[in-house]
Amino acid sequence: MTVKKGDFVELEFVGKIKETGEIFDTTDPKIAKDAGILKKNTVYRPLVVVVGKGQLIPGVDEALIGMKENEEKSIEVPPEKGFGKRDPKLVKLIPITELRKRGIKPKVGMRVTIDNAVGRIVNITGGRVRIDFNHPLAGKHLKLDLKVKKIIKDDKEKIKGIISMYYPNAKLEDINVEIKDGTVSIEVDDTFKFDNRPHSNITLTQARIAKEIWDNIEGVKRVEFISAFEKTKAKSTT
Amino acid sequence: MTVKKGDFVELEFVGKIKETGEIFDTTDPKIAKDAGILKKNTVYRPLVVVVGKGQLIPGVDEALIGMKENEEKSIEVPPEKGFGKRDPKLVKLIPITELRKRGIKPKVGMRVTIDNAVGRIVNITGGRVRIDFNHPLAGKHLKLDLKVKKIIKDDKEKIKGIISMYYPNAKLEDINVEIKDGTVSIEVDDTFKFDNRPHSNITLTQARIAKEIWDNIEGVKRVEFISAFEKTKAKSTT
């Protein structure tokens, strides 16, 4: 059984910049730690992806097709199949006063968000700040070690995988998924219940998860998110 | 059939201060408008209450017992069965500098919240501000015209009534309630979905609604809030 477009897979990877060998991302906490890029408060586990749907850079999406479960593969990815070529027009000169107005004290190397675009300060000269809004990996040739940990066949597992795309730290074992007559019911756990973002944001995230589910799982017409309260449990907390 | 403790009733009322005849609250939008107390963005409809559970001032809770459906009654309520006696200790002198520190520019008659207590500024003299933290109706004798519009017997209606206690403006006709094997399922409408408060607050409100339901409706063990997304609907919005 090999990976086809639309398959759900558990993917393990190590991503390096070809030129320098620098590791920019990985699913392996040990490698991340050794590379000095271990993220705090982050659950490290294989990434669940739907293959060939643009969730990954094109080079990886293509490489996965035809791989077997537990197969490993090392690939090289040029910029055009990675994070794109560098666009010189995305390097902008902005007056320092403009940044100060926005409460930013510019320093070289600092990441700044201006009009929803994220950039990195390249240099500061004569009252002007040069900011590079290209993706940090744009223009880079990459080397990736890939492993298809699993091809997911079970619909409940696929759904949990989709949830993990939006909630990377979710305790998937505590989320109860039921499928019946085209309706998917997802009972969320306390991590979700005590999310402090505005409720309307949660609704939008839920709508995206729902769309991802019916776009990728045959026969689903309705997705329900359930927040449940049990009599005995509630008594113990009041 | 008369009202007993624990019954759910739809209550209409007009509340006046006995001394002045001033109307302080009512479920009737016409009377509210004439009295100059009509609240904007507020749905006026009978109040759903569980009788004898302290949801109302004691005088009203007592008066409702034994009333029939559609019966009207006018009662007088002394402070001790209303909003309590005035407590002189709740009138406090606070240095004007203390208020300024909190960003408050005091004016006589202004309502201020200090350490979660709401008070009214009575006067300002010699750099000190006198604030009355008593309930505005404390110490008042009240006159109330009550009407038991309905004694609610249907559990789904009771549940919608409980929801309306926490969401006074909810479109109850758009909320879908199911009861099965001790589980109450409440499917919320878009008003709830796009609430902008932190999601954790919504969870706490849901927990309170759940408790109110199993405390007042026989046999309920579990309450679920469902946020549902339908394939066709979602497509039209993306």
Side-chain angles (χ1 to χ4, degrees), chain A:
Chain A
M1 193 170 61
T2 59
V3 174
K4 298 180 309 296
K5 185 176 166 176
D7 276 357
F8 282 63
V9 305
E10 286 187 5
L11 173 67
E12 289 179 349
F13 73 92
V14 182
K16 293 176 199 161
I17 297 170
K18 187 185 169 191
E19 205 181 357
T20 59
E22 185 193 339
I23 293 170
F24 61 85
D25 200 6
T26 177
T27 49
D28 185 323
K30 206 174 159 300
I31 294 172
K33 199 182 171 195
D34 290 347
I37 58 164
L38 190 77
K39 292 172 226 151
K40 279 183 193 170
N41 304 319
T42 297
V43 176
Y44 278 81
R45 58 184 167 206
L47 206 62
V48 175
V49 294
V50 188
V51 177
K53 295 289 183 95
Q55 293 177 357
L56 301 163
I57 55 173
V60 175
D61 244 353
E62 289 169 16
L64 291 172
I65 303 285
M67 283 179 75
K68 292 194 193 75
E69 228 171 48
N70 281 314
E71 187 181 337
E72 299 184 31
K73 193 189 258 186
S74 289
I75 58 168
E76 289 196 9
V77 175
E80 52 274 29
K81 297 215 164 178
F83 291 90
K85 295 186 180 175
R86 281 182 53 79
D87 180 353
K89 287 200 225 79
L90 290 179
V91 181
K92 294 187 177 163
L93 271 172
I94 294 179
I96 201 162
T97 50
E98 190 61 35
L99 292 177
R100 290 213 179 108
K101 260 187 225 165
R102 291 160 193 255
I104 302 168
K105 287 185 194 168
K107 279 184 195 168
V108 170
M110 188 178 175
R111 305 193 93 206
V112 291
T113 305
I114 293 171
D115 300 341
N116 291 320
V118 180
R120 201 179 57 82
I121 295 178
V122 182
N123 62 39
I124 308 172
T125 42
R128 294 205 296 177
V129 181
R130 192 181 303 273
I131 304 178
D132 185 352
F133 289 99
N134 283 288
H135 188 285
L137 294 170
K140 304 286 186 196
H141 288 257
L142 310 172
K143 285 186 83 164
L144 287 127
D145 302 325
L146 308 174
K147 181 179 179 182
V148 173
K149 188 88 196 315
K150 187 175 182 178
I151 302 174
I152 303 173
K153 289 290 167 196
D154 179 67
D155 281 346
K156 288 187 191 182
E157 254 185 272
K158 288 182 184 176
I159 289 164
K160 287 189 179 197
I162 290 173
I163 295 169
S164 77
M165 295 173 194
Y166 291 86
Y167 291 97
N169 295 338
K171 285 183 194 159
L172 298 177
E173 63 280 13
D174 291 349
I175 296 171
N176 189 19
V177 174
E178 297 296 335
I179 309 171
K180 202 185 162 190
D181 304 332
T183 292
V184 171
S185 303
I186 299 167
E187 191 180 330
V188 301
D189 74 332
D190 286 353
T191 327
F192 292 80
K193 283 184 183 166
F194 294 101
D195 196 321
N196 269 318
R197 287 180 295 155
H199 181 67
S200 50
N201 287 19
I202 309 291
T203 296
L204 291 173
T205 303
Q206 289 178 341
R208 286 192 197 108
I209 292 173
K211 183 177 187 325
E212 207 75 64
I213 290 172
W214 61 60
D215 279 354
N216 292 296
I217 297 173
E218 200 76 28
V220 175
K221 291 198 183 96
R222 175 185 161 94
V223 177
E224 298 178 341
F225 292 85
I226 299 175
S227 187
F229 301 85
E230 307 265 349
K231 193 167 179 177
T232 43
K233 276 189 197 163
K235 269 197 173 158
S236 69
T237 59
T238 50

Side-chain angles (χ1 to χ4, degrees), chain B residues 45-48 159-170 172 209:
Chain B
R45 58 186 166 204
L47 205 64
V48 176
I159 289 164
K160 288 191 178 194
I162 289 172
I163 294 169
S164 77
M165 294 173 195
Y166 290 86
Y167 292 96
N169 294 339
L172 299 178
I209 291 173

Side-chain angles (χ1 to χ4, degrees), chain B residues 10 69 71 134 232:
Chain B
E10 285 186 2
E69 229 172 45
E71 187 182 336
N134 282 287
T232 43

